[in-house]
Amino acid sequence: MIQLHRQFMKVTCALALFPGAVLAQDQLGAIAGRVIDRDTQQPIPNAQVVIVGTQIGSLTDDRGEYRLTRVTPGSRQVRALRLGYQSATQTVTVAAGGTATADFTLGTAVVNLDQVVITATGETQRKRESGAITSTIAIEELELAPITNFSQVLAGRAPGVTVQLTSGTLGAGAKVRIRGTNSISLANDPLLIIDGVRVNNTVASGIAVGGMLPSRLDDLNPDEIENIEVIKGPAAAALYGTAAANGVIQVTTKRGRPGKARFTLFAEAGTLEEVSDFPYNYRQIGDLVTPRPDGTTRTTNCNIANRTSGLCTIRQDSLARYSPLLSDASPFITGWRQDYGLNVTGGGEAVTYFVSGDFERQQGVFDANSTRKYGLRANVFGRVRDDLELTANAGYVSNRVRLPQNDNNALGLLGGGLLGSAFDNPTTRGYFAITADQSQQFRTRQDVERFTGSMSSNWRPLTWLSAAGSAGLDVVNRFDHDLLPAGKIASFGLEGGFRQSERYQDFTYTGNLSFTGAFDIRPTIRSSTTVGGQYVREVLRSTEAFGQNLLPGVGSLEGVTSLFAVDEDNTENVTIGTYIQQQVSWRDRLFVTLALRGDDNSAFGQDFGYVNYPAASLSWVIGEESFFPQTEILSALRVRAAYGESGQRPAFRDAAKFFSPVSVSVGDVDTPGVTIGSEVTGFGAGNALLKPEKSKEYEFGFDAGLLGDRLALELTRYHKTTYDALIARDLPGSLGATPFRLENIGRVRNEGFELLLKARVFEIPEARFDLTLNGTTANSKILELGEGIEPIPVNSDFQIHKEGLSPGEYYQAPYTFSDANRDGLISASEVVVADEPVGLGTPFPKRLLSVTPDLTLFKYVRVSGLLEYRGGHKLLNLTERFRCNFTQTCRGLQDATAPLEEQARAMATLLGTEAGFVEDADFVKLRELSVTLNAPSQWAGRMGVASVSLTLAGRNLKTWTDYTGYDPEANENAANTNFSTDEFNTLPQVRYFTARVNIGW
């Protein structure tokens, strides 16, 4: 099999290097022209001009000009496209050695069915041709928005996409879900592809800080992006194969534009502020009814439970409250952000280039939280001959992140304050265990060096035959390390300090090869057939070491004197896929597509063979039919439907029976031995029949243009079911194996609606106002766990996987209460807890809505924003639960004036249920607001440049919610966990204010 892999890669590379014979140079012609705006008569830069049915195309420059060279003589159809404009097509005749002219005048439009997207085969396809919806995130939005990482790019900008920004900690990853949760045992993150290469998309760190972990998703620089496409689910992603069940995010980085070199320089600076209202820690001072043996009666915990039980009486005006987070002992500082970048684009008729560099530094709202990132990118595109194009892309990033101790961490900064004392004291300043200064002595860092590169080719040896090939590599060198110098903390056994060092290398190799034959069966019927294959290899190598009790002044492992431990991991996974797709189109209006992909994967059970993923779609642009009534109200209409299947492979060695090495003591001598499987995961018994989880999805909907194409509406209904879901089955201890074995026995359903509405509200010479609204409903349910499988607890039994409930639903015994004696206090006898727990709701939003307004005034001022709503979900306020149950410092337990609801939930948690802390987490957030000032060209010319702009922006400006915690978005469980969701000592989203200057010349 390895030889087959190598041969596949050789064929892919050979495609780019040996294309075969073509026409001589003097037999070729060219097409040139200009693309302008119909209303303003101004040039349209970055418009795409292509020869229909070929790979020949170019982008317009700043003057709206383009030139297509090495064009085969004859009659040629030329099409011009630009997002936000109506496409236009015209026919020209190209003479040998001559240049034909094709000028275009495009009118603005919010409906654009000819928008080009990239398919799984690496080729381009117009939106009208597919029956499955693909969302595109407009780059113009990114240029204005106050965005600091790629996760923020995705939030609120595409229907069906949920981004849970888990924390305000710099470097913290986010949970990204497309159309709900598919898997109970495997990851639910989408597949990430950059310039045709599958890349690492994990959220990971080998160093525990309590919760937050960095995400490789955020290594990508938003300033380098040309296009983002979100392929929602199996109906659209079947040809992506085993890995695409959770959807696909496909990123294309910027390409060069022909013409003289054009430079763009930007500089950005701003502040980060923590603006949340943190609660006080409370204690009620009182006297014990029964004196202690020494005769004293004073107590600092005459809480409501003790008071209503007759154990103590309170002293007048003796409620103590204090929070170190709100005092001069607070660890918060004003953070800052700096970002500088320079890029250049240009080239000639045959070769274009884009080169960029970026440097970013950020200081968080804690001293112990900072990032520093360098990025370089070079993309080169070349048209070697009229039938051959080559593209080379290379990106490098160096990232340094320092993480603070927080979340589920006894030594954390927020936990120390929120679970601290109601009294200031000279030792810990009111913190739970150690002071904030001591907590920030941990030097926890992640250093990343990452390279992503690819080469691709498009070759058209015959007028009806084209071939696309690509090969690429994504390599991540990650160094996770932690140091606590000796003598910094004198408790928790940390007096001597420690050192931890973990090095990881992640490699992802991708090879693609496809051939497409397209020809007219009849003048009105066109056939397009694509066959191809794909090779993906993922490799992980790691070495970890730990030691404690450092020699004074030493910060490396060579200075540790005890508890030294080492470990090493090696994993590898290979996928080989082949596919075929047939599309038939009628009059460029009706498109029928059938496809099939077959995959083999090294993680499948040895007794399981190939898996097949079929797909079918129908798209009918009915609005272009002659019988369609052309009215001002309904000006365009497309109906569509699609069905598809995709999958997820088991994890490395889930299907294999393996042995883990252990050391056993025999006669006081350490002797090597083995156990079956892994003590960490509990797996290793093996299942030779283990197969991939398979998701089947159908979707249908329509795209409509309304009010003379001033309003575009996309509505989609989707229904997705995951079969053969992997579930851990208990194994009898008598087998002498691991306690669990994965089996394909579960079933999960996701369904909902997606809405995208784009409106040109008004447009006059002095102003233009656009409004974009996208909405999603999402409902997930576990249909089957498998015969004999009991409900599976999640997140320390706060959540559960149970048939009939949403995956990971909160599951607690409900309670009722009443102030029966009307004394204003809730006692234990006034709270009644149900006998059995019930499902209380999902932690994932069921309803999402975002509104993006965009106002342009006098061509020089542009105002935009992003307002987000999320609802229908719950959040466990675990911080307040611990304050009531563990430290007993919450207001509901100590303060007699607290609302009865707060008193009741505090009492209920003492009676064994956390239901009162599972709260509605609906919120509306003003996520972004920015104002951009563009200098008139005359002003810019006086400064010796072509353009100058200034953008003032704010992020996380206001939140409206009934949630009683400090942030309804917070989640102490890092983004690499599937379901565990709660707010527990997690830094809320911080507020950004930034200023950015862009200069072009």
Side-chain angles (χ1 to χ4, degrees):
M1 181 176 287
I2 296 299
Q3 291 298 323
L4 178 61
H5 301 169
R6 292 173 178 168
Q7 291 299 320
F8 185 88
M9 297 296 286
K10 291 178 181 178
V11 171
T12 303
C13 295
L15 173 68
L17 299 176
F18 305 106
V22 293
L23 293 174
Q25 177 66 36
D26 57 2
Q27 296 178 281
L28 304 177
I31 303 174
R34 193 165 184 253
V35 182
I36 63 173
D37 186 297
R38 182 184 61 194
D39 299 322
T40 66
Q41 296 299 302
Q42 295 298 311
I44 301 177
N46 283 331
Q48 186 174 20
V49 184
V50 298
I51 298 178
V52 177
T54 76
Q55 303 295 330
I56 300 175
S58 181
L59 297 176
T60 57
D61 60 19
D62 292 334
R63 298 182 298 275
E65 297 175 352
Y66 74 93
R67 183 176 179 84
L68 307 178
T69 61
R70 303 182 182 184
V71 180
T72 304
S75 179
R76 295 287 176 262
Q77 272 196 322
V78 186
R79 178 177 292 128
L81 312 103
R82 181 68 164 91
L83 188 64
Y85 289 86
Q86 297 171 334
S87 64
T89 303
Q90 59 178 283
T91 301
V92 297
T93 300
V94 180
T99 299
T101 300
D103 293 327
F104 295 91
T105 301
L106 305 185
T108 58
V110 293
V111 181
N112 194 344
L113 296 179
D114 289 322
Q115 178 184 344
V116 173
V117 296
I118 299 174
T119 69
T121 66
E123 299 180 312
T124 58
Q125 180 185 62
R126 289 174 297 159
K127 193 174 181 180
R128 67 165 59 212
E129 298 179 38
S130 175
I133 195 69
T134 294
S135 292
T136 301
I137 296 177
I139 301 306
E140 289 81 357
E141 297 179 12
L142 308 186
E143 295 173 347
L144 297 178
I147 288 172
T148 62
N149 59 52
F150 187 69
S151 297
Q152 296 172 358
V153 170
L154 301 175
R157 287 186 167 84
V161 180
T162 304
V163 180
Q164 185 179 19
L165 303 169
T166 53
S167 170
T169 301
L170 294 180
K175 282 185 178 179
V176 180
R177 298 290 181 266
I178 299 177
R179 289 185 175 175
T181 298
N182 298 312
S183 181
I184 291 174
S185 300
L186 301 178
N188 285 282
D189 304 288
L191 176 66
L192 178 62
I193 296 176
I194 299 178
D195 293 328
V197 177
R198 293 194 184 189
V199 300
N200 189 304
N201 188 24
T202 60
V203 179
S205 173
I207 309 297
V209 293
M212 293 302 108
L213 302 177
S215 171
R216 300 281 64 82
L217 185 72
D218 293 331
D219 289 341
L220 184 63
N221 180 6
D223 289 296
E224 298 174 350
I225 296 173
E226 179 74 37
N227 189 47
I228 301 173
E229 295 163 4
V230 181
I231 297 99
K232 305 290 184 67
L239 286 188
Y240 291 87
T242 303
N246 300 325
V248 181
I249 297 173
Q250 192 156 255
V251 177
T252 303
T253 57
K254 291 181 177 179
R255 291 170 52 175
R257 287 184 288 165
K260 67 177 184 179
R262 289 176 293 278
F263 293 85
T264 301
L265 172 70
F266 72 83
E268 180 177 311
T271 61
L272 289 68
E273 299 178 357
E274 190 353 85
V275 294
S276 300
D277 293 325
F278 293 104
Y280 285 99
N281 302 318
Y282 291 85
R283 281 285 183 159
Q284 177 63 63
I285 301 172
D287 291 297
L288 298 172
V289 173
T290 302
R292 300 185 182 91
D294 61 1
T296 60
T297 62
R298 185 179 184 275
T299 176
T300 59
N301 194 19
C302 188
N303 60 48
I304 294 173
N306 292 334
R307 179 180 173 186
T308 57
S309 298
L311 301 178
C312 63
T313 58
I314 65 171
R315 296 182 178 182
Q316 188 174 5
D317 299 326
S318 55
L319 179 67
R321 70 172 193 174
Y322 176 75
S323 171
L325 301 178
L326 304 175
S327 71
D328 60 357
S330 171
F332 295 115
I333 62 174
T334 298
W336 47 264
R337 167 179 170 79
Q338 297 175 347
D339 192 10
Y340 309 97
L342 173 67
N343 68 64
V344 57
T345 179
E349 296 180 355
V351 178
T352 61
Y353 59 87
F354 171 82
V355 180
S356 70
D358 179 81
F359 171 61
E360 176 193 277
R361 292 179 62 198
Q362 292 189 97
Q363 171 61 58
V365 295
F366 300 125
D367 282 328
N369 185 206
S370 61
T371 64
R372 186 184 64 188
K373 183 162 66 174
Y374 303 86
L376 296 171
R377 174 161 293 280
N379 294 344
V380 179
F381 168 80
R383 182 171 294 113
V384 181
R385 289 192 291 260
D386 68 313
D387 64 348
L388 177 63
E389 297 176 349
L390 298 177
T391 303
N393 302 291
Y396 168 77
V397 64
S398 175
N399 196 10
R400 302 290 184 267
V401 178
R402 184 180 179 188
L403 295 171
Q405 307 294 306
N406 251 329
D407 308 293
N408 189 3
N409 188 339
L411 305 176
L413 289 159
L414 283 185
L418 293 167
L419 304 180
S421 174
F423 309 93
D424 193 0
N425 61 71
T427 305
T428 65
R429 293 301 314 273
Y431 284 90
F432 172 69
I434 60 175
T435 66
D437 290 340
Q438 289 175 313
S439 179
Q440 298 192 95
Q441 296 302 313
F442 292 89
R443 302 173 189 175
T444 309
R445 301 178 184 274
Q446 182 175 99
D447 302 338
V448 169
E449 309 292 334
R450 181 173 189 173
F451 172 81
T452 303
S454 66
M455 292 193 66
S456 62
S457 63
N458 287 291
W459 175 37
R460 194 175 185 87
L462 301 171
T463 58
W464 58 270
L465 179 65
S466 63
S470 65
L473 167 68
D474 178 48
V475 56
V476 178
N477 286 301
R478 195 180 93 218
F479 181 25
D480 298 334
H481 52 116
D482 198 5
L483 170 66
L484 177 63
K488 297 297 183 179
I489 297 177
S491 56
F492 293 93
L494 298 174
E495 297 85 349
F498 66 84
R499 172 64 172 169
Q500 187 171 357
S501 174
E502 303 191 354
R503 293 186 181 271
Y504 299 82
Q505 282 191 312
D506 283 283
F507 300 89
T508 304
Y509 304 87
T510 303
N512 298 287
L513 177 62
S514 66
F515 297 88
T516 299
F519 54 90
D520 293 331
I521 300 176
R522 299 184 62 180
T524 58
I525 301 177
R526 186 169 183 82
S527 170
S528 177
T529 305
T530 300
V531 296
Q534 184 180 70
Y535 165 83
V536 178
R537 180 173 176 240
E538 301 162 278
V539 179
L540 169 65
R541 305 280 185 258
S542 70
T543 304
E544 305 97 32
F546 174 85
Q548 198 162 323
N549 293 325
L550 285 159
L551 295 173
V554 178
S556 65
L557 283 167
E558 65 180 357
V560 301
T561 60
S562 64
L563 298 179
F564 186 75
V566 295
D567 193 15
E568 183 178 5
D569 292 307
N570 297 279
T571 69
E572 182 173 358
N573 188 276
V574 175
T575 302
I576 294 181
T578 58
Y579 52 83
I580 181 170
Q581 177 176 278
Q582 174 64 52
Q583 182 183 89
V584 177
S585 63
W586 177 62
R587 299 173 62 197
D588 203 37
R589 298 170 188 170
L590 179 64
F591 303 86
V592 178
T593 306
L594 299 175
L596 178 67
R597 171 161 173 153
D599 275 2
D600 192 11
N601 186 278
S602 59
F604 296 167
Q606 63 181 10
D607 293 342
F608 179 77
Y610 275 80
V611 60
N612 294 313
Y613 303 116
S617 76
L618 171 69
S619 174
W620 186 15
V621 188
I622 191 173
E624 294 181 1
E625 297 290 356
S626 58
F627 61 79
F628 184 80
Q630 295 291 333
T631 67
E632 183 71 12
I633 296 177
L634 182 60
S635 49
L637 180 65
R638 176 175 77 122
V639 293
R640 48 185 165 77
Y643 171 84
E645 299 180 10
S646 188
Q648 267 205 100
R649 61 170 175 82
F652 176 72
R653 293 201 303 190
D654 280 351
K657 184 175 182 179
F658 63 93
F659 300 94
S660 294
V662 296
S663 177
V664 296
S665 180
V666 178
D668 296 329
V669 178
D670 286 342
T671 304
V674 296
T675 61
I676 298 177
S678 169
E679 295 181 1
V680 177
T681 64
F683 300 128
N687 181 356
L689 294 174
L690 203 64
K691 53 188 175 182
E693 296 185 342
K694 181 181 284 190
S695 295
K696 303 178 181 180
E697 179 186 63
Y698 65 80
E699 67 172 61
F700 54 87
F702 66 87
D703 309 333
L706 306 171
L707 304 179
D709 278 356
R710 301 187 69 85
L711 189 150
L713 173 65
E714 294 179 2
L715 182 64
T716 304
R717 163 69 173 170
Y718 69 90
H719 186 285
K720 178 170 56 175
T721 303
T722 299
Y723 297 85
D724 300 326
L726 293 173
I727 305 294
R729 183 184 290 281
D730 293 342
L731 295 178
S734 58
L735 293 178
T738 53
F740 312 106
R741 183 179 73 176
L742 285 177
E743 296 182 3
N744 296 98
I745 53 178
R747 194 157 51 96
V748 181
R749 184 184 70 203
N750 290 279
E751 58 183 350
F753 288 89
E754 295 169 355
L755 170 71
L756 177 63
L757 185 67
K758 293 185 176 182
R760 178 67 49 83
V761 180
F762 64 81
E763 183 175 21
I764 56 178
E766 295 81 13
R768 186 181 74 191
F769 181 49
D770 295 327
L771 189 68
T772 301
L773 182 151
N774 72 65
T776 303
T777 67
N779 292 282
S780 300
K781 180 182 288 189
I782 298 175
L783 302 178
E784 188 177 0
L785 284 176
E787 184 178 354
I789 302 296
E790 296 294 324
I792 303 170
V794 182
N795 191 15
S796 302
D797 295 340
F798 294 123
Q799 297 168 251
I800 199 169
H801 296 317
K802 185 179 181 182
E803 292 179 359
L805 299 182
S806 298
E809 184 156 339
Y810 292 114
Y811 194 67
Q812 292 290 308
Y815 64 90
T816 58
F817 71 94
S818 64
D819 185 12
N821 60 8
R822 300 184 181 277
D823 63 351
L825 302 176
I826 300 298
S827 64
S829 62
E830 293 173 325
V831 177
V832 179
V833 179
D835 295 331
E836 298 293 335
V838 299
L840 299 178
T842 174
F844 304 108
K846 291 185 176 182
R847 302 182 298 273
L848 298 96
L849 183 68
S850 67
V851 180
T852 307
D854 191 333
L855 175 65
T856 301
L857 299 172
F858 305 104
K859 298 187 295 183
Y860 303 121
V861 180
R862 187 172 177 184
V863 182
S864 66
L866 175 61
L867 187 70
E868 269 195 273
Y869 160 76
R870 300 186 188 182
H873 63 300
K874 305 284 186 177
L875 181 61
L876 172 61
N877 189 345
L878 194 56
T879 303
E880 195 66 6
R881 180 263 189 185
F882 258 72
R883 285 162 47 82
C884 290
N885 185 293
F886 179 64
T887 61
Q888 298 193 357
T889 54
C890 71
R891 184 188 177 201
L893 188 63
Q894 298 287 344
D895 185 358
T897 66
L900 297 183
E901 293 80 4
E902 286 191 36
Q903 297 184 39
R905 71 176 182 178
M907 197 64 64
T909 194
L910 299 179
L911 297 176
T913 180
E914 322 302 338
F917 298 98
V918 178
E919 302 185 36
D920 290 333
D922 296 18
F923 69 86
V924 174
K925 178 165 290 192
L926 180 54
R927 183 78 70 186
E928 300 170 3
L929 183 63
S930 65
V931 178
T932 298
L933 307 175
N934 294 297
S937 56
Q938 300 92 329
W939 295 8
R942 292 171 188 165
M943 291 183 279
V945 296
S947 62
V948 178
S949 68
L950 170 66
T951 298
L952 304 176
R955 183 172 185 84
N956 300 322
L957 298 178
K958 178 67 175 177
T959 302
W960 296 269
T961 183
D962 291 331
Y963 177 71
T964 65
Y966 44 78
D967 188 355
E969 281 192 288
N971 178 20
E972 60 103 352
N973 293 287
N976 66 333
T977 60
N978 262 341
F979 302 100
S980 297
T981 306
D982 59 71
E983 178 236 283
F984 189 41
N985 305 325
T986 302
L987 180 67
Q989 295 293 315
V990 297
R991 182 172 295 167
Y992 283 81
F993 289 106
T994 60
R996 177 177 174 127
V997 176
N998 289 276
I999 302 174
W1001 69 94

